[in-house]
Amino acid sequence: MDKAVQSEMVNHTLQEIYHRGGGFPRRPYVLALLTSHMIGMEPGFSYLKEMKKDSITLRLTGENSLLAKMELGELIKAAGSDDWIPELCLSEEILREIDGIFLPILSFSLVNDLLSFNEQRPFVRLILEALFKGKKIVALKTGADPHDPYWKMKGIDKGPALLKRTMLQQLVQLKSMGIILISKNEKADFTPEENKKTVISKETIRYAHLQNQTEIRIQSGSIITPLARDMAKELNILLKTF
């Protein structure tokens, strides 16, 4: 196995040890669920390799049906990480620990099973439980968006309008369930809400002024844009940190 790939699991283990010892803040823990797709899995694998550059702990798991088609070594090499959790090892403890789930490959069957709440499928049950627990679910929509350039590149963009419209309607339903859909050019953000910094913009100041407020209480660590400071000064609004 490639040493650069093999080191991922070791790095993640060391990071967790350092975090528990107070070495540095805990990174967002993301679990990627891999399924197969008739159009191929390349877009998902490419995105996973880019995600490795982010400050997250990315772990992978794949359905047993996928492992029947691809050797584990192939999957690890394609995804660029050996931090692998077998499907049978997915547990309540893992669900408690993760900050979010990433779906790099939205297969037709996964979309249909999610929309029909097929909890008999382990991945679907895990995703539904995560949604009900308020975990962030992000999906790369390439596999379920017939208008994505990848479909044209593969020469499978000639489907009837009704078929494409049905697929787009399914994407709308997934979004309404709370699943965040992104394109390959968008960044998947798994920063826990409590760790995100509030941004005070000029729109915030303008709204406060319209509400006849003369003071805005701002949580420590919030980001105040230069334009917001200028407008607050101009409108005589006090920015008070607590």
Side-chain angles (χ1 to χ4, degrees), residues 73-96:
E74 290 182 80
L75 286 169
I76 287 174
K77 185 175 181 180
S81 173
D82 74 331
D83 203 337
W84 186 272
I85 301 175
E87 183 181 11
L88 290 175
C89 294
L90 296 177
S91 62
E92 281 292 327
E93 182 179 355
I94 290 177
L95 185 58
R96 284 195 301 270

Side-chain angles (χ1 to χ4, degrees), residues 10-41:
V10 176
N11 286 339
H12 293 164
T13 302
L14 291 175
Q15 288 164 9
E16 184 63 24
I17 293 173
Y18 290 154
H19 162 68
R20 292 177 180 177
F24 52 73
R26 176 180 177 275
R27 293 182 172 188
Y29 176 1
V30 181
L31 180 63
L33 309 183
L34 293 174
T35 57
S36 59
H37 199 300
M38 61 170 281
I39 69 169
M41 302 167 64

Side-chain angles (χ1 to χ4, degrees), residues 124-159:
V124 173
R125 184 172 65 250
L126 184 69
I127 293 168
L128 292 175
E129 288 182 9
L131 284 170
F132 282 119
K133 291 179 181 294
K135 305 285 186 178
K136 187 174 291 187
I137 311 294
V138 180
L140 187 66
K141 63 181 181 179
T142 301
D145 181 1
H147 296 309
D148 188 278
Y150 187 76
W151 286 68
K152 186 173 184 178
M153 185 185 77
K154 297 286 286 187
I156 51 175
D157 60 329
K158 310 297 191 299

Side-chain angles (χ1 to χ4, degrees), residues 169-238:
Q169 289 171 346
Q170 288 181 324
L171 286 177
V172 172
Q173 289 179 277
L174 289 179
K175 189 174 181 179
S176 67
M177 289 174 62
I179 296 175
I180 301 169
L181 302 173
I182 62 172
S183 67
K184 61 180 178 296
N185 297 320
E186 295 179 282
K187 184 180 177 63
D189 183 9
F190 287 97
T191 305
E193 294 299 325
E194 62 269 21
N195 293 342
K196 289 187 176 180
K197 293 185 177 181
T198 300
V199 177
I200 306 300
S201 65
K202 65 177 183 180
E203 285 74 21
T204 308
I205 306 301
R206 183 181 293 113
Y207 179 79
H209 177 64
L210 292 174
Q211 298 298 313
N212 296 317
Q213 296 181 24
T214 58
E215 178 180 299
I216 299 178
R217 290 175 57 80
I218 301 172
Q219 186 173 2
S220 178
S222 297
I223 299 172
I224 306 173
T225 67
L227 289 176
R229 289 188 183 278
D230 292 342
M231 182 171 286
K233 185 177 181 179
E234 178 182 339
L235 298 176
N236 294 316
I237 295 178
L238 177 64

Side-chain angles (χ1 to χ4, degrees), residues 1-116:
M1 187 182 300
D2 187 274
K3 291 183 179 180
V5 172
Q6 189 177 21
S7 66
E8 287 299 307
M9 183 167 59
V10 176
N11 286 339
H12 293 164
T13 302
L14 291 175
Q15 288 164 9
E16 184 63 24
I17 293 173
Y18 290 154
H19 162 68
R20 292 177 180 177
F24 52 73
R26 176 180 177 275
R27 293 182 172 188
Y29 176 1
V30 181
L31 180 63
L33 309 183
L34 293 174
T35 57
S36 59
H37 199 300
M38 61 170 281
I39 69 169
M41 302 167 64
E42 292 84 358
F45 287 142
S46 295
Y47 199 94
L48 285 171
K49 289 179 178 178
E50 287 299 313
M51 286 182 69
K52 283 176 53 184
K53 301 175 184 178
D54 298 333
S55 295
I56 63 173
T57 296
L58 178 65
R59 294 195 165 103
L60 314 174
T61 187
E63 290 185 308
N64 291 331
S65 58
L66 175 60
L67 289 170
K69 298 177 181 178
M70 292 183 69
E71 295 288 339
L72 179 57
E74 290 182 80
L75 286 169
I76 287 174
K77 185 175 181 180
S81 173
D82 74 331
D83 203 337
W84 186 272
I85 301 175
E87 183 181 11
L88 290 175
C89 294
L90 296 177
S91 62
E92 281 292 327
E93 182 179 355
I94 290 177
L95 185 58
R96 284 195 301 270
E97 292 178 352
I98 63 174
D99 295 297
I101 290 175
F102 179 58
L103 307 175
I105 301 148
L106 269 182
S107 64
F108 299 142
S109 64
L110 182 59
V111 171
N112 286 326
D113 283 348
L114 277 170
L115 295 179
S116 61

